Amino acid sequence: MKTYIQKSFSTFFFSLLFVLSACSHKGIVGTVGKTDPQDKSAQPEVTKVEFGGELEKALEVVRITQGKADGNLLRMQVEIKNYSSTEVQFTHKLEWLDDEGFLVKDTSLVWKALMIRPGESKMIESIATRPGVSAFRLKIQPAKNP
Amino acid sequence: MNRLLLSVSLIFIFFFFSCGERKPVGRAADARYLEDGSNKGLVNLDKINAQDFSRAANQLVTDLLASGSLAEAPLQPAILHVGEIRNDTQTYFDTDLLLQGMKRDLLASKRVRISTTAGPEGKIADSYADTVRKELGADGDKQINRPRPYFSLSGKIIEETSRVEKVTQKDFYFLLTLTELNGGTGVWFGRELITKQGSRGAIGF
């Protein structure tokens, strides 16, 4: 009887542990940006603030490239590489910030899905739709339906 | 004594629950608000969802700005006429769900000004403004200027369906063309593809 209770408890404990660990990464958002938001050089230094637990092990930001498009519109490109041995599905959202640090509300404020195969790198690129934009933040989150 | 205890208990329970949060009786209430562009919205296989319109609009505007076509107009910002975007999918929706976001971004970029009084009869965005302008123009009002559009934007949205066993794939093509009116030629051909695959819809992605 005692062994049965011990077994039941162990099963329950490990099930709970599994459920908790499976759900633990949900909702964590990784943010990638420039170390200095006002850095206007072509390849600014990359900074990473938080990263989804699972994604940090698999993905790495190789470089950020920025420039101007059509005169005075900030153009950016972030290269992300998958260093893991499995394909990675994630969603990302880009936030543009103007010279005063205010968030620009345009159509870029939408989560987009992306998949990267093992060893592959992909570019996420965009152009700001406002002339006064000088910085950006790229948010990355694990996909819900991988 | 027991009766007194029971009465006190009942009164205590009544006050305890009456001060609590009001919840509907029956099934748990789960209606909530989602932010614009959220990744927790519904994903339907057979229709274009809100996040798809935003994504398509953003990608098309980015592509249009990157092409530099708008900068070719001799007068900046150029006047843009937004024409008809045909919905060739199996579901009804207003194409302004795509266009309004694009218009806002294009206007904010200061590369174009968007005409709301030019277009074929019956398809003018603001018919009241057009009528007033015509009347004032006929009266010889000098403040009414008539800059004609330099570009016209038109296009269509196409849906393609493929199935393998129980898995369905829906491809939604957003095809836009920017025409330079003087030459009558297309100067930008935008294409954005949104593909969804699965056996049934999902909540979030």
Side-chain angles (χ1 to χ4, degrees), chain A residues 2 22 25 49 61 67 84 105-106 109-110 114 127 130 132 146:
Chain A
K2 197 178 173 183
H25 74 280
V49 187
V61 175
S84 75
K105 293 195 173 177
D106 64 0
L109 286 176
V110 63
L114 193 66
I127 296 176
R130 267 76 167 165

Side-chain angles (χ1 to χ4, degrees), chain B residues 65-80:
Chain B
L65 292 173
S67 74
S69 304
L70 297 172
E72 290 170 10
L75 287 173
Q76 292 288 330
I79 309 285
L80 172 69

Side-chain angles (χ1 to χ4, degrees), chain A residues 15-121:
Chain A
S15 302
L16 187 69
L17 198 68
F18 173 75
V19 170
L20 285 177
S21 63
C23 300
S24 61
H25 74 280
K26 266 188 174 179
I28 297 173
V29 180
T31 309
V32 178
K34 295 183 283 182
T35 306
D36 174 12
Q38 299 303 321
D39 187 351
K40 291 185 169 62
S41 59
Q43 291 198 348
E45 199 178 330
V46 180
T47 185
K48 285 192 285 184
V49 187
E50 293 180 36
F51 225 107
E54 303 274 320
L55 290 179
E56 195 168 42
K57 295 172 191 167
L59 301 179
E60 189 151 314
V61 175
V62 180
R63 76 172 67 86
I64 291 179
T65 313
Q66 68 177 15
K68 293 285 182 183
D70 209 0
N72 56 357
L73 302 175
L74 183 64
R75 181 179 199 171
M76 59 72 75
Q77 180 177 267
V78 176
E79 184 179 355
I80 296 179
K81 187 165 185 178
N82 177 8
Y83 284 99
S84 75
S85 55
T86 54
E87 67 177 36
V88 177
Q89 300 257 12
F90 63 95
T91 58
H92 62 92
K93 181 169 82 168
L94 189 64
E95 291 180 348
W96 295 106
L97 303 168
D98 67 15
D99 292 333
E100 295 172 332
F102 286 103
L103 178 71
V104 173
K105 293 195 173 177
D106 64 0
T107 54
S108 65
L109 286 176
V110 63
W111 288 93
K112 298 173 187 173
L114 193 66
M115 184 273 285
I116 308 185
R117 292 182 184 83
E120 187 188 19
S121 62

Side-chain angles (χ1 to χ4, degrees), chain B residues 78-82 103 113-119 124-126 147-149:
Chain B
I79 309 285
L80 172 69
H81 166 252
V82 180
K103 287 179 194 172
R113 287 165 62 202
I114 295 166
S115 170
T116 53
T117 53
I124 294 167
D126 192 335
R148 69 175 180 85

Side-chain angles (χ1 to χ4, degrees), chain B:
Chain B
M1 183 64 187
N2 278 347
R3 193 171 285 176
L4 180 70
L5 195 67
L6 185 69
S7 303
V8 170
S9 303
L10 283 173
I11 289 167
F12 177 75
I13 289 168
F14 172 76
F15 275 108
F16 184 76
F17 282 102
S18 65
C19 297
E21 187 189 353
R22 296 289 192 279
K23 284 181 181 173
V25 178
R27 288 180 61 190
D30 57 358
R32 58 184 173 144
Y33 288 100
L34 294 180
E35 63 183 287
D36 190 8
S38 169
N39 58 353
K40 293 183 178 176
L42 297 183
V43 181
N44 292 106
L45 282 169
D46 55 348
K47 63 175 285 193
I48 302 170
N49 296 112
Q51 64 270 13
D52 302 326
F53 283 115
S54 296
R55 187 186 125 181
N58 180 248
Q59 294 292 108
L60 289 164
V61 167
T62 300
D63 192 47
L64 177 55
L65 292 173
S67 74
S69 304
L70 297 172
E72 290 170 10
L75 287 173
Q76 292 288 330
I79 309 285
L80 172 69
H81 166 252
V82 180
E84 190 185 8
I85 309 292
R86 210 167 62 233
N87 172 13
D88 279 348
T89 71
Q90 291 172 28
T91 50
Y92 168 79
F93 58 83
D94 194 322
T95 51
D96 271 356
L97 294 173
L98 173 78
L99 289 176
Q100 198 74 358
M102 289 187 69
K103 287 179 194 172
R104 277 169 53 85
D105 285 358
L106 287 172
L107 200 61
S109 74
K110 300 195 190 301
R111 296 300 182 274
V112 289
R113 287 165 62 202
I114 295 166
S115 170
T116 53
T117 53
E121 201 64 43
K123 291 193 174 175
I124 294 167
D126 192 335
S127 53
Y128 169 74
D130 185 51
T131 307
V132 170
R133 279 169 54 79
K134 277 178 182 161
E135 284 173 5
L136 291 172
D139 292 345
D141 193 324
K142 296 254 186 313
Q143 290 182 352
I144 299 294
N145 55 11
R146 296 196 171 276
R148 69 175 180 85
Y150 188 82
F151 293 116
S152 177
L153 189 69
S154 61
K156 54 186 169 181
I157 304 167
I158 302 170
E159 174 183 340
E160 281 285 309
T161 308
S162 322
R163 279 193 192 88
V164 173
E165 293 178 357
K166 288 179 181 174
V167 177
T168 303
Q169 181 170 311
K170 286 276 186 181
D171 299 309
F172 296 100
Y173 293 88
F174 296 76
L175 308 174
L176 298 189
T177 302
L178 184 73
T179 304
E180 191 253 293
L181 293 176
N182 283 349
T185 52
V187 290
W188 171 76
F189 295 90
R191 173 193 176 275
E192 175 62 14
L193 170 63
I194 289 182
T195 299
K196 301 179 186 188
Q197 192 185 76
S199 51
R200 58 179 181 156
I203 302 171
F205 60 96

